[in-house]
């Protein structure tokens, strides 16, 4: 995330006649309030997000692409522009750009508005406002429309992130069962394994400070722990684990932003509890996503879940009789559920709708067409975590 400057740093840009670049642009005045102004603003914002991120400075004039003077705007203009940026990013860009920050800096005669746009892990973003359908990138002095080859490269990067995320999830499961990172994990044949993976997790740079994760540790309590868990730091980051010996689950927040959670043992005996399992996927994912947002990690998040030890078990649910007409016991022991892509995790409804393909897949494994928890486009669970 490009750092928002102080007043001294802002005036320093003028003193050295800083040049516009792939990560810096100056605007002498606020964008016009008409449709062309909206499109121009969204073009500049998405170009930064699709390229390397950067700072958009409104209230500084440039000449030959170099900063020459502060040209203050009014506070009212700055507040209106700040509000408009938030509204336009929500309604005029697909997918939505997250993590944009603004700062109003007091100067003689008015203010300067600085907008910090991160390099988006969810790129490419297209401008959709006003019936537009365009993708923008940035070079050393301005925004330009992406060509077919550049778009293909951006989409391939997104596909590679998904492949990395799925591979990480599947590779971790046998390691978890063998005691990494919790040596006293219970040795049971069944379990739920969940990873919430930010798209920026594979950037190679630390994303989460474990100390900050500890400060909001309640967001990362283990699945179905009922509030009882033990915290600790580990080599990988910050962990909350169920403290019994053996332990039946934990949540680990890694420095790269990946949240790893497991619940060992699903139900008991020959029964598979469909309703609680669905809830134990969705409610903790919402809680973990909220924690990541508080730690400054931006969506999209990719949620991968696997159920082990389901072969031959009978599905039980409040929605169906114990042995419904469609009842079939799964012929496989491991269910790798479809990924839930969380473009927006602001409410549990957002998370629940993203998990619908995974919830349907669970019921499909027992011969049913879909999860009965979804009615009229809403999630109406029959159980609690």
């Amino acid at each position: 995330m490009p750092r928002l400057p102080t007043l001294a740093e802002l005036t320093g840009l003028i003193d050295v006649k800083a040049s516009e670049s792939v990560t810096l642009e100056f605007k002498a005045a606020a964008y016009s309030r008409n449709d062309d102004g909206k499109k121009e603003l969204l073009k500049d914002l998405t170009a930064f997000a699709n390229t390397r991120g950067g700072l958009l400075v409104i209230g500084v004039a440039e000449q030959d692409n170099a900063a020459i003077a502060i040209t203050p705007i009014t506070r009212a203009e700055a507040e209106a522009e700040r509000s408009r940026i938030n509204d336009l990013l929500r309604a005029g860009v697909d997918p939505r750009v997250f993590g944009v920050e603004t700062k109003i800096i007091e100067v003689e005669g008015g203010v300067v508005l600085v907008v910090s746009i991160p390099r988006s892990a969810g790129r490419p973003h297209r401008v959709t406002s006003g019936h537009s359908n365009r993708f923008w990138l940035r070079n050393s002095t301005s925004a330009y429309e992406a060509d077919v080859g550049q778009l293909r490269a951006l989409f391939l990067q997104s596909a590679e992130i998904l492949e990395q995320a799925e591979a990480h999830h599947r590779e971790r499961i046998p390691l978890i069962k063998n005691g990494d990172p919790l040596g006293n994990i219970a040795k049971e044949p069944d379990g739920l394994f969940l990873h919430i993976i930010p798209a920026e997790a594979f950037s190679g740079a630390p994303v989460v400070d474990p100390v900050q994760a500890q400060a909001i540790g309640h967001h990362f309590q283990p699945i179905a722990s009922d509030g009882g868990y033990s915290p600790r730091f580990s080599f990988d980051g910050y962990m909350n684990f169920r403290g019994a010996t053996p332990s039946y689950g934990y949540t680990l927040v890694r420095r790269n932003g990946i949240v790893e959670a497991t619940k060992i043992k699903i139900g008991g005996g020959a029964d598979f509890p469909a309703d609680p399992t669905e809830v134990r996927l969705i409610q903790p994912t919402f809680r973990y996503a909220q924690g990541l947002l508080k730690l400054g990690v931006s969506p999209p998040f990719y949620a991968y879940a696997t159920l082990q030890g389901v072969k031959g078990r009978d599905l039980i649910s409040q929605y169906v009789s114990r042995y419904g007409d469609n009842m079939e016991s799964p012929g496989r022991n491991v269910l790798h559920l479809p990924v839930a892509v969380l473009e927006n995790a602001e409410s549990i409804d957002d998370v629940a709708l993203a998990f619908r393909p995974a919830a349907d897949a669970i019921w499909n494994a027992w011969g049913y067409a879909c999860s009965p928890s979804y009615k009229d486009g809403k999630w109406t669970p029959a159980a609690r975590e």
Side-chain angles (χ1 to χ4, degrees):
M1 165 70 75
R3 187 173 62 82
L4 291 163
T6 63
L7 173 60
E9 291 168 334
L10 176 65
T11 56
L13 294 175
I14 313 299
D15 294 340
V16 300
K17 292 183 168 54
S19 296
E20 291 183 314
S21 68
V22 71
T23 59
L24 180 63
E25 179 162 353
F26 302 112
K27 293 286 184 183
Y31 291 79
S32 67
R33 308 297 294 181
N34 58 24
D35 287 342
D36 288 341
K38 293 178 184 177
K39 290 180 182 179
E40 183 74 11
L41 175 55
L42 285 175
K43 178 187 77 173
D44 291 337
L45 294 172
T46 56
F48 278 119
N50 284 337
T51 311
R52 288 170 51 188
L55 293 177
L56 174 61
V57 184
I58 302 173
V60 170
E62 56 81 19
Q63 183 175 353
D64 298 325
N65 303 119
I68 57 170
I70 291 178
T71 52
I73 62 176
T74 67
R75 175 168 284 277
E77 287 177 314
E79 294 288 2
E81 200 77 316
R82 170 188 273 173
S83 177
R84 182 166 69 151
I85 286 171
N86 291 331
D87 291 341
L88 288 176
L89 287 176
R90 187 178 301 110
V93 176
D94 182 39
R96 183 175 166 185
V97 176
F98 290 90
V100 173
E101 296 181 354
T102 58
K103 181 178 183 179
I104 295 176
I105 300 177
E106 299 277 355
V107 296
E108 185 176 350
V111 302
V112 171
L113 176 66
V114 185
V115 186
S116 173
I117 308 99
R119 183 188 188 207
S120 174
R123 62 191 184 279
H125 301 272
R126 65 188 173 104
V127 175
T128 59
S129 178
H131 305 292
S132 180
N133 185 27
R134 305 174 78 176
F135 295 85
W136 299 93
L137 295 171
R138 185 165 177 82
N139 58 24
S140 59
T141 58
S142 63
Y144 65 95
E145 192 166 4
D147 62 30
V148 172
Q150 291 164 332
L151 276 178
R152 183 181 296 115
L154 286 170
F155 280 113
L156 284 174
Q157 289 172 13
S158 296
E160 288 171 1
I161 290 172
L162 275 169
E163 290 175 2
Q164 287 179 289
E166 183 173 8
H168 176 87
H169 170 69
R170 296 201 182 199
E171 290 167 2
R172 283 295 304 158
I173 294 171
L175 297 176
I176 292 169
K177 296 185 73 174
N178 287 330
D180 179 13
L182 197 62
N184 68 331
I185 199 76
K187 306 298 182 185
E188 297 283 349
D190 58 327
L192 183 163
F193 303 88
L194 175 66
H195 286 93
I196 315 302
I197 303 179
E200 60 188 293
F202 304 106
S203 66
V207 175
V208 167
D209 180 347
V211 175
Q212 293 179 353
Q214 181 200 34
I216 57 169
H218 61 283
H219 280 286
F220 303 109
Q221 68 185 58
I223 299 169
S225 65
D226 299 322
Y229 56 87
S230 300
R232 81 174 190 205
F233 293 102
S234 75
F235 177 79
D236 301 291
Y238 172 75
M239 173 187 290
N240 289 326
F241 63 98
R242 299 175 73 173
T245 300
S247 176
Y248 279 79
Y250 66 86
T251 303
L252 170 66
V253 187
R254 294 181 177 273
R255 290 181 178 84
N256 62 6
I258 294 177
V259 178
E260 178 175 285
T262 185
K263 181 185 185 303
I264 304 301
K265 200 169 183 61
I266 310 171
D271 292 336
F272 176 85
D275 304 334
T277 298
E278 191 175 289
V279 170
R280 287 166 182 171
L281 285 170
I282 293 169
Q283 289 185 348
T285 296
F286 172 63
R287 190 168 62 243
Y288 302 154
Q290 290 297 296
L292 289 174
L293 291 172
K294 288 181 182 294
L295 292 171
V297 184
S298 297
F301 305 138
Y302 304 117
Y304 287 90
T306 291
L307 302 174
Q308 285 197 345
V310 300
K311 185 175 181 179
R313 296 176 70 177
D314 297 324
L315 179 143
I316 56 171
S317 168
Q318 295 182 41
Y319 288 111
V320 298
S321 62
R322 183 173 177 82
Y323 298 103
D325 293 339
N326 295 326
M327 178 67 71
E328 297 178 4
S329 296
R332 63 182 65 179
N333 200 44
V334 178
L335 302 180
H336 294 297
L337 302 180
V339 61
V341 180
L342 309 180
E343 294 285 0
N344 184 359
E346 294 178 352
S347 74
I348 195 165
D349 291 330
D350 297 324
V351 174
L353 290 176
F355 260 95
R356 181 162 192 173
D360 286 345
I362 294 173
W363 284 79
N364 295 160
W366 273 267
Y368 292 92
C370 60
S371 166
S373 299
Y374 292 85
K375 298 186 179 87
D376 300 322
K378 296 182 179 179
W379 185 56
T380 55
R384 302 178 71 88
E385 185 185 354

